[in-house]
Amino acid sequence: MPKAVGIDLGTTNSCVAAVIAGDPTVIHNAEGGRVTPSIVHFSKTGEVLVGEPAKRQAILSPDRTVRSVKRLMGQRTTAITVDGRDYTPEQISARILEKLARDAATYLGEPVKQAVITVPAYFDDAQRTATKHAGEIAGLEVLRIINEPTAAALAYGHKQQKMEGTILVYDLGGGTFDVTIMDVEIDKAKTEERDYYEVRSTAGDTHLGGDDIDQALIDFLADQFQKEHGVDLRQDRQALQRLKEAAEKAKIELSSALQTNINLPFLYVPEGGSPLHLEMTLTRAQLEELARPIVERTRPIVLRAMEDAKVGPGDISEVILVGGQTRMPMVQQLVRELTGKEPRRDINPDEVVAVGAAIQAAVLTQEMKDMVLLDVTPLSLGVETLGDVMDVLIPRNTTIPTRVSRIYTTASDYQPSVEIHVLQGERPRASQNRSLGRFQLTGIPPAPRGMPRIEVTFDIDANGILNVTAEDKGTGKKQDITITGSSSLSPDEVQRMVQEAEAHRQEDERFRRLAQARNEADALAYQLEKTINDLRDKLSESERQSLEAKVKELREASQGDDEQAIRRKIDEVNQAFSEVSRRLYEAASAGVGSQAAEGTTGQPGPGYAGGRGPGPAAGPGGDVIDAEFEAEDEK
Ligand code: AMP
């Protein structure tokens, strides 16, 4: 069975892992990194860069670079426009997922077609559905969507021999905050028993994270600059981008240092004026003052999760920190204060989620022993009823999967249809909650108000994704339901995007192969030019001219867009050189004497063993013996 991977699709960084020979392993990306910046860059030439290469382009062309797309997931109306083309957040996320899957396939040496993808526990239905769609657009079968804190707990549990207790996971990433409290029972000695994880409560804020601290610092720096120079850097995209990078860097440095310097020379050049620089010393205390209101927003959320789980600080046995932003000492201090516990330090907050997702993937593909994993739905689900009231069918923190039905009726006489408006959130007023979609149930036989019996069923699957059905009990028939104003893409739209992505994957693959062929052609041309030069006195004039002409043709072909033509030229050139080389070699062996000639009869020409391209120049004596060894090696 092909490998299924675990993917942590983060706001700032993403990470992919797989279980290899029973061991959950973080996979290096093509650039050699263990995490990949969640950044997509659309270059002028039509190439799409993802990760570190995209990040490098962000300063030069911020308008072609998309970051923090996770913040937009599930927002149907938001289009991301690059170069006059609109993309949905799902399509941008799909680009990141594609790269992770591709790099994983290279690392593992086998295709990657299945994945478990993580989402913040507090993601609502639309955000989860959007993430699943992003996976599908990336050409992946999404085996499961799991919650990030739950994944972190799985990774932690995997390393334990024995534990029984309550874990609190505090997860503050670039853009989202989650807290999850769960019971865990593990005893590896009892091989017949499965590890047990049961989430008791979860809470969070899907728009709160390290990015907000960066923003506070950017504003602080820009305000200072404006006071000093009268220029608002926020109006200049390039300056703002540099400021952003510097702010994040300073923030990260201040997690270990007590003060840091921010130095941005030539940050702004006023028309006709001399360049302006930004130079400032920032202390940890200053940063903490700016960050405090943001970090403090996590406090009531943690308290609510503890209240929902009915636990006090004394009941928590372990605290796990997830997300890069938890490296900030002030954040750790708050967690200590709230839980009365020292958070664990032996867990890498950037990688633990992907590792947990990989474990879940291995369990789902039966590569690893099964476990009991009971998660919850983070937000209440219900329908709108008369008078802007949200009628809750499934309260928050209900264990999933789950299924609940309730009977509704009509509000006026002879009403032929009803509208079922599906909502998610905690507010009693319908209009203040998130609208997931509206369903029309039509064809209700004429009846006085209150007579028809319409059964609405909510079904939440293991991904935390909701399906709604409605049945008119009067006719006994399930009615067709149509959805309007949904916050998710329709199946048709997903299908179209899957096809588009498939086409661009082929296009990207062509582009990659072309780039590789060009690269090889250029390297070969360079090498051969050098060889022609080295062999200058051994080549006849006509040989030299013919070889030079071949190299020129190769260079020309490599400028073109036809990969096959380049490959043909590479073969032709190799062939031509091989022939000349053979002649030189034979001439040289004849000069050296019968011994060497005998010893090498029938071997390929020097430096061409196995057709790997030209090697050392053929010449008398030592060169021939070198070639002999090379030929031996090839056997
Ligand atoms: P994540 O979404 O988990 O990748 O978290 C990324 C966030 O963590 C970004 O806002 C980073 O700036 C922040 N971060 C990473 N390392 C550190 C650090 N050492 N101190 C403070 N924040 C950090």
Side-chain angles (χ1 to χ4, degrees):
M1 185 183 279
K3 204 54 134 189
V5 296
I7 298 179
D8 169 9
L9 183 61
T11 310
T12 324
N13 291 303
S14 295
C15 184
V16 54
V19 172
I20 303 173
D23 236 357
T25 310
V26 171
I27 293 174
H28 287 95
N29 61 24
E31 293 75 39
R34 290 168 74 84
V35 295
T36 299
S38 306
I39 303 178
V40 179
H41 176 82
F42 294 85
S43 77
K44 284 203 181 90
T45 59
E47 200 184 353
V48 180
L49 303 174
V50 180
E52 208 48 64
K55 191 173 185 177
R56 283 199 290 275
Q57 299 300 321
I59 292 189
L60 286 175
S61 47
D63 51 336
R64 292 181 161 273
T65 313
V66 187
R67 344 169 129 239
S68 296
V69 68
K70 187 171 177 177
R71 288 190 166 222
L72 305 177
M73 290 297 262
Q75 294 182 16
R76 215 22 260 277
T77 44
T78 314
I80 300 153
T81 310
V82 183
D83 228 2
R85 239 207 93 168
D86 285 348
Y87 299 89
T88 60
E90 288 90 332
Q91 286 174 305
I92 302 287
S93 296
R95 293 293 194 153
I96 301 168
L97 292 169
E98 259 174 26
K99 171 179 168 68
L100 296 170
R102 191 170 61 237
D103 287 357
T106 308
Y107 184 98
L108 296 165
E110 55 187 315
V112 169
K113 292 275 165 226
Q114 295 178 315
V116 168
I117 304 175
T118 61
V119 294
Y122 214 60
F123 253 21
D124 66 23
D125 186 79
Q127 292 167 308
R128 281 166 201 272
T129 305
T131 305
K132 188 156 182 273
H133 286 159
E136 287 162 11
I137 295 168
L140 293 167
E141 182 193 344
V142 182
L143 294 177
R144 187 70 57 84
I145 296 285
I146 66 167
N147 293 332
E148 288 161 12
T150 307
L154 293 184
Y156 168 77
H158 179 74
K159 292 207 290 187
Q160 308 305 309
Q161 281 309 313
K162 188 171 162 64
M163 103 152 264
E164 186 175 346
T166 304
I167 297 182
L168 182 143
V169 183
Y170 179 103
D171 178 355
L172 188 61
T176 56
F177 172 64
D178 271 333
V179 54
T180 289
I181 296 171
M182 63 201 303
D183 288 339
V184 179
E185 266 181 61
I186 295 164
D187 192 346
K188 297 262 158 63
K190 293 189 182 160
T191 46
E192 75 287 359
E193 272 182 26
R194 294 185 290 174
D195 294 354
Y196 180 88
Y197 301 83
E198 179 174 3
V199 176
R200 288 171 64 169
S201 71
T202 194
D205 183 336
T206 51
H207 291 92
L208 171 63
D211 284 1
D212 298 305
I213 299 179
D214 297 354
Q215 192 54 49
L217 184 51
I218 291 163
D219 284 333
F220 170 77
L221 296 172
D223 287 347
Q224 296 277 322
F225 195 87
Q226 194 165 14
K227 254 187 238 152
E228 214 173 302
H229 302 289
V231 174
D232 186 2
L233 293 171
R234 283 161 289 215
Q235 304 307 318
D236 180 305
R237 290 198 75 160
Q238 282 209 3
L240 180 62
Q241 192 56 41
R242 283 182 68 195
L243 199 58
K244 261 189 190 155
E245 309 248 324
E248 188 188 4
K249 188 163 161 275
K251 175 190 77 173
I252 290 175
E253 278 170 11
L254 289 174
S255 285
S256 46
L258 288 171
Q259 78 174 48
T260 184
N261 294 319
I262 301 175
N263 241 323
L264 292 169
F266 302 96
L267 188 56
Y268 188 84
V269 187
E271 236 166 273
S274 48
L276 302 174
H277 319 293
L278 186 145
E279 224 184 319
M280 200 180 286
T281 301
L282 190 75
T283 64
R284 186 186 285 176
Q286 277 175 302
L287 174 69
E288 288 184 346
E289 199 180 312
L290 294 167
R292 179 156 288 115
I294 298 156
V295 175
E296 276 297 326
R297 280 169 58 195
T298 68
R299 182 193 293 271
I301 301 174
V302 174
L303 292 175
R304 197 186 88 183
M306 288 169 72
E307 198 182 305
D308 281 358
K310 302 189 178 56
V311 297
D315 304 319
I316 292 164
S317 30
E318 290 291 358
V319 174
I320 300 176
L321 297 180
V322 183
Q325 194 55 54
T326 59
R327 292 206 175 91
M328 186 182 207
M330 190 170 78
V331 172
Q332 298 178 358
Q333 183 49 39
L334 177 72
V335 178
R336 236 177 258 125
E337 192 191 313
L338 288 168
T339 61
K341 273 243 141 207
E342 190 58 40
R344 291 201 67 110
R345 297 189 168 272
D346 55 345
I347 289 163
N348 184 331
D350 303 321
E351 299 178 354
V352 63
V353 170
V355 167
I359 292 171
Q360 173 70 296
V363 169
L364 292 173
T365 52
Q366 282 149 24
E367 229 188 297
M368 237 172 170
K369 201 178 91 174
D370 197 12
M371 62 192 167
V372 181
L373 173 57
L374 301 171
D375 218 317
V376 299
T377 183
L379 294 152
S380 303
L381 286 151
V383 295
E384 178 177 348
T385 51
L386 205 62
D388 196 21
V389 173
M390 159 129 168
D391 186 45
V392 173
L393 270 89
I394 302 177
R396 72 168 190 251
N397 291 323
T398 298
T399 301
I400 56 167
T402 187
R403 191 185 160 91
V404 174
S405 295
R406 191 168 291 171
I407 304 277
Y408 293 90
T409 187
T410 47
S412 48
D413 289 341
Y414 311 115
Q415 194 177 322
S417 68
V418 288
E419 186 182 74
I420 297 152
H421 185 196
V422 182
L423 303 163
Q424 189 163 30
E426 306 311 317
R427 311 292 291 272
R429 284 182 65 180
S431 54
Q432 289 174 339
N433 290 303
R434 157 83 118 162
S435 164
L436 295 179
R438 291 168 189 274
F439 302 84
Q440 291 289 337
L441 182 65
T442 54
I444 300 171
R449 67 187 280 258
M451 275 287 283
R453 288 164 53 79
I454 295 146
E455 186 183 63
V456 176
T457 302
F458 276 25
D459 202 329
I460 308 184
D461 65 14
N463 299 313
I465 293 176
L466 174 72
N467 283 293
V468 182
T469 49
E471 189 181 339
D472 177 357
K473 288 294 203 188
T475 58
K477 276 190 227 148
K478 274 216 168 133
Q479 299 271 338
D480 276 349
I481 47 175
T482 45
I483 182 163
T484 53
S486 162
S487 43
S488 309
L489 297 173
S490 71
D492 285 353
E493 284 171 308
V494 175
Q495 200 44 40
R496 181 175 54 75
M497 288 175 193
V498 167
Q499 280 161 3
E500 272 176 28
E502 182 54 40
H504 81 229
R505 263 197 294 285
Q506 286 171 8
E507 187 52 34
D508 288 354
E509 186 51 33
R510 254 200 303 281
F511 196 87
R512 250 192 302 281
R513 281 206 306 263
L514 176 65
Q516 200 175 359
R518 279 180 177 161
N519 227 350
E520 280 173 40
D522 289 346
L524 185 62
Y526 170 79
Q527 214 175 3
L528 294 181
E529 275 160 0
K530 192 167 166 298
T531 310
I532 296 173
N533 204 25
D534 291 347
L535 296 178
R536 192 154 284 275
D537 18 322
K538 299 200 178 66
L539 295 172
S540 71
E541 182 59 19
S542 70
E543 271 174 343
R544 189 178 58 76
Q545 278 178 2
S546 133
L547 290 179
E548 276 176 354
K550 283 271 174 249
V551 174
K552 188 159 172 275
E553 282 169 31
L554 180 63
R555 284 227 184 265
E556 279 164 9
S558 101
Q559 300 295 312
D561 289 337
D562 185 346
E563 187 223 338
Q564 289 309 320
I566 300 173
R567 296 248 166 246
R568 274 197 303 276
K569 244 334 137 202
I570 289 178
D571 287 347
E572 251 177 56
V573 172
N574 267 329
Q575 181 67 24
F577 267 81
S578 186
E579 277 159 22
V580 171
S581 184
R582 193 175 305 258
R583 187 199 58 75
L584 288 177
Y585 169 68
E586 279 162 9
S589 344
V592 166
S594 59
Q595 255 183 336
E598 257 169 40
T600 56
T601 309
Q603 302 294 356
Y608 283 83
R612 279 181 295 128
D623 279 349
V624 176
I625 292 169
D626 266 355
E628 214 178 350
F629 281 131
E630 194 162 350
E632 286 289 325
D633 285 343
E634 288 295 318
K635 281 183 201 160

